[in-house]
C-alpha cells in the first residue's frame, strides 16, 4: 500500500505499526530520489526500535509509539536532506563492533578494515607480543586502535596505543568508544597535530608500529565527491593537499624518529596514490627496501606497509 493511502486511512488517535512505517519511510525516500529506499527505511527503523531487521519482518503488525513514529519521520526527513545514515542513527559497524558516530567526526569506511586486518596479521607474527606499543595518527572515532586492542584483549594479550587527532570532538568520541570496548586503559589519547603532542613529552617514546588513515582527498577529487560526503563530513578529515599526499610526506619524514628498529608504518592510501607514496617511502633511507602494498575489496590500491631499518 502507498504511504499516502495509509496516512489517509489512519484515525488521528491511531498509531502506526511497523509494516506501515516501513512503507511510509520507503515511499518518502523513493519519491525524493533515494535509490536504496527499501533497505534504508528498514535500517533506520531497526536502529530506532533497537530491533534486528528480521525482528521487524516478524512483527509487521506491532504498533509503534507516537513519539517513535515522530522520530522516525524526522530521521527520514534528515536522510532526504542528504545526511549520512551514520550521523542519523549515531552508529557504524566496524569489523563486527558497533561504534558511536557523531557529526563533526569522520565516518569509518569498510576499506579501513583491510588495513586493520593487515596490522593484526603483522602483530600476530611478532615473536614477543606482550607490552607492544602502537601509534594511530588521526584516530577519528577510534576504530583502528579499539578494534586492534579489543582483538588482542580477547586473546589475553594487552596491546597499548597512543592515539592523536587534531579534532577535540573526535578525541572525545574515541574515548567513549574505547570505554565501551573496555580499552580505555590501553589507549592514551592526545589532541594535536600528528607528532606534535609526542614531541612535547619529556621522554622520547618509540613505537612497534605507526598506523594511519590520514586525510587523502586531492583538491581535484574534492569537487567530485558526493554532497553526502562533502557537505556533511569534516573537510579536515578528508583533504590532503593539492595531490592528496601532504600527510604521507609529513608522516614518512617524521615517523623513523618514533619507530623502534624493524617497527612498521602502515598507511591507508587513495586508490591513485600508490606510486607517489612508494616514491616518498623509498626516497627515505630509514625504511627497508621491501614494502608491502595491498588492495581493497574492489581491487583498488588501498594500503602500504613499510618497515624501518634495524
Ligand atoms: C580519514 S580520517 C580517519 C579517522 C579514523 N582513523 C578512521 O579510519 O575512521 C582522518 C583523521 O585525521 C584527523 N586529522 C586531520 N588532520 C590532522 C592532523 N594534522 N593531526 C592529527 N589528526 C589530524 C581528522 O580529524 C580525522 O579524524
Amino acid at each position: 500500500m502507498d504511504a499516502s493511502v495509509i496516512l489517509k486511512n489512519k484515525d488521528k488517535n491511531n498509531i502506526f505499526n511497523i509494516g506501515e512505517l516501513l512503507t511510509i519511510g520507503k515511499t518518502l525516500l523513493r519519491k525524493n530520489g533515494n535509490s536504496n529506499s527499501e533497505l534504508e527505511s528498514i535500517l533506520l527503523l531497526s536502529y530506532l526500535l533497537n530491533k534486528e531487521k528480521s525482528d521487524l519482518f516478524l512483527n509487521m503488525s506491532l504498533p509503534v509509539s507516537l513519539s517513535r513514529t515522530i522520530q522516525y519521520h524526522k530521521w527520514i526527513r534528515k536522510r532526504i536532506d542528504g545526511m549520512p545514515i551514520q550521523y542519523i542513527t549515531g552508529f557504524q559497524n566496524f569489523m563486527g563492533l558497533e561504534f558511536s558516530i557523531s557529526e563533526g567526526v569522520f565516518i569509518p569506511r569498510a576499506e579501513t578494515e583491510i588495513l586493520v586486518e593487515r596490522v593484526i596479521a603483522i602483530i600476530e607474527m611478532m615473536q614477543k607480543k606482550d607490552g607492544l606499543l602502537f601509534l594511530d595518527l588521526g584516530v577519528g572515532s577510534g576504530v583502528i586502535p579499539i578494534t586492534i586492542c579489543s582483538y588482542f584483549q580477547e586473546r589475553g594479550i594487552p596491546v597499548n596505543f597512543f592515539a592523536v587527532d587534531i579534532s577535540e570532538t573526535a578525541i572525545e568520541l574515541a574515548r567513549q568508544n574505547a570505554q565501551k570496548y573496555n580499552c580505555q586503559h590501553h589507549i592514551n589519547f592526545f589532541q594535536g597535530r600528528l607528532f606534535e603532542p609526542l614531541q612535547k613529552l619529556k621522554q622520547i617514546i618509540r613505537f612497534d608500529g605507526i598506523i594511519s588513515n590520514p586525510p587523502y582527498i586531492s583538491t581535484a577529487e574534492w569537487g567530485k565527491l558526493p554532497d553526502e560526503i562533502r557537505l556533511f563530513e569534516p573537510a579536515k578529515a578528508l583533504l590532503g593537499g593539492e595531490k592528496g599526499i601532504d600527510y604521507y610526506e609529513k608522516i614518512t619524514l617524521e615517523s623513523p624518529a618514533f619507530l623502534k628498529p624493524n617497527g612498521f608504518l602502515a598507511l591507508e592510501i587513495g586508490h591513485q596514490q600508490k606510486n607517489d607514496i612508494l616514491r616518498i617511502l623509498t626516497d627515505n633511507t630509514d625504511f627497508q627496501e621491501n614494502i608491502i602494498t595491498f588492495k581493497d575489496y574492489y581491487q583498488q590500491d588501498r594500503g602500504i606497509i613499510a618497515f624501518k631499518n634495524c
Side-chain angles (χ1 to χ4, degrees), residues 106 108 112 136 138-140 143-144 164-167 170 192-194 213-215 236-237 247:
F106 179 81
T112 310
D136 179 16
V139 67
V143 287
I144 296 175
V164 179
D165 204 289
I166 199 165
S167 154
R193 287 171 193 274
L194 298 180
N213 171 22
K236 66 173 178 248
Y247 284 85

Side-chain angles (χ1 to χ4, degrees), residues 18-296:
I18 285 178
E20 289 167 336
L21 281 186
L22 287 177
T23 306
I24 293 169
K26 184 176 72 178
T27 311
L28 287 173
L29 287 171
R30 197 185 53 229
K31 279 188 174 162
N32 285 279
N34 185 314
S35 55
N36 217 4
S37 55
E38 175 136 30
L39 184 68
E40 293 197 3
S41 60
I42 296 167
L43 207 73
L44 287 170
L45 196 60
S46 81
Y47 266 104
L48 185 72
L49 302 182
N50 199 15
K51 281 187 188 300
E52 294 292 328
K53 283 175 221 146
S54 54
D55 279 348
L56 294 185
F57 299 131
L58 291 172
N59 294 288
M60 291 297 235
S61 54
L62 199 74
V64 179
S65 72
L66 188 60
S67 64
R68 292 237 166 126
T69 300
I70 291 170
Q71 190 63 34
Y72 184 60
H73 192 251
K74 279 188 187 158
W75 280 16
I76 293 286
R77 293 277 10 141
K78 284 186 181 186
R79 189 64 193 123
I80 289 169
D81 290 342
M83 182 179 273
I85 288 219
Q86 295 85 346
Y87 289 154
I88 301 174
T89 62
F91 289 103
Q92 169 70 333
N93 189 288
F94 188 89
M95 287 182 78
L97 304 184
E98 191 89 322
F99 284 86
S100 290
I101 298 298
S102 65
E103 280 182 71
V105 180
F106 179 81
I107 299 168
R109 305 298 207 268
E111 285 86 343
T112 310
E113 295 183 346
I114 304 170
L115 174 74
V116 169
E117 282 165 4
R118 297 284 162 145
V119 170
I120 287 177
I122 292 175
I123 302 175
E124 284 284 20
M125 285 186 272
M126 288 178 162
Q127 275 179 346
K128 189 181 151 294
K129 293 194 197 59
D130 255 8
L132 290 175
L133 182 62
F134 300 101
L135 170 65
D136 179 16
L137 293 171
V139 67
S141 59
V143 287
I144 296 175
I146 295 168
T147 311
I148 296 172
C149 176
S150 154
Y151 173 93
F152 284 100
Q153 200 152 261
E154 273 176 24
R155 286 152 185 82
I157 303 161
V159 161
N160 296 303
F161 267 89
F162 277 31
V164 179
D165 204 289
I166 199 165
S167 154
E168 190 60 62
T169 317
I171 295 280
E172 194 41 51
L173 187 71
R175 270 191 223 281
Q176 285 172 29
N177 281 322
Q179 204 135 16
K180 178 171 178 188
Y181 288 105
N182 213 13
C183 292
Q184 69 274 26
H185 302 302
H186 297 287
I187 308 175
N188 253 311
F189 291 100
F190 297 88
Q191 192 265 326
R193 287 171 193 274
L194 298 180
F195 293 94
E196 264 177 28
L198 306 177
Q199 282 153 346
K200 287 182 192 150
L201 298 177
K202 282 197 185 101
Q203 64 188 111
I204 298 173
I205 312 271
R206 288 194 204 278
F207 299 92
D208 296 281
I210 298 174
I211 306 149
S212 186
N213 171 22
Y216 59 69
I217 302 294
S218 67
T219 315
E221 282 171 320
W222 175 250
K224 294 184 211 147
L225 286 179
D227 284 356
E228 186 172 336
I229 300 175
R230 208 167 30 83
L231 302 181
F232 287 91
E233 293 200 62
K236 66 173 178 248
L238 295 159
L239 286 168
E242 200 187 333
K243 284 182 80 183
I245 58 172
D246 286 7
Y247 284 85
Y248 300 105
E249 285 172 338
K250 288 181 199 156
I251 293 172
T252 303
L253 188 70
E254 297 199 48
S255 52
F258 292 92
L259 278 173
K260 292 180 188 169
N262 284 321
F264 65 82
L265 173 61
L267 301 166
E268 179 170 320
I269 63 167
H271 66 99
Q272 289 167 326
Q273 295 169 334
K274 184 174 100 174
N275 291 338
D276 278 331
I277 300 164
L278 274 176
R279 180 185 43 74
I280 295 168
L281 282 163
T282 47
D283 281 354
N284 190 314
T285 52
D286 285 310
F287 287 103
Q288 295 170 18
E289 276 173 21
N290 292 334
I291 293 175
I292 301 165
T293 62
F294 55 90
K295 293 182 189 291
D296 62 21

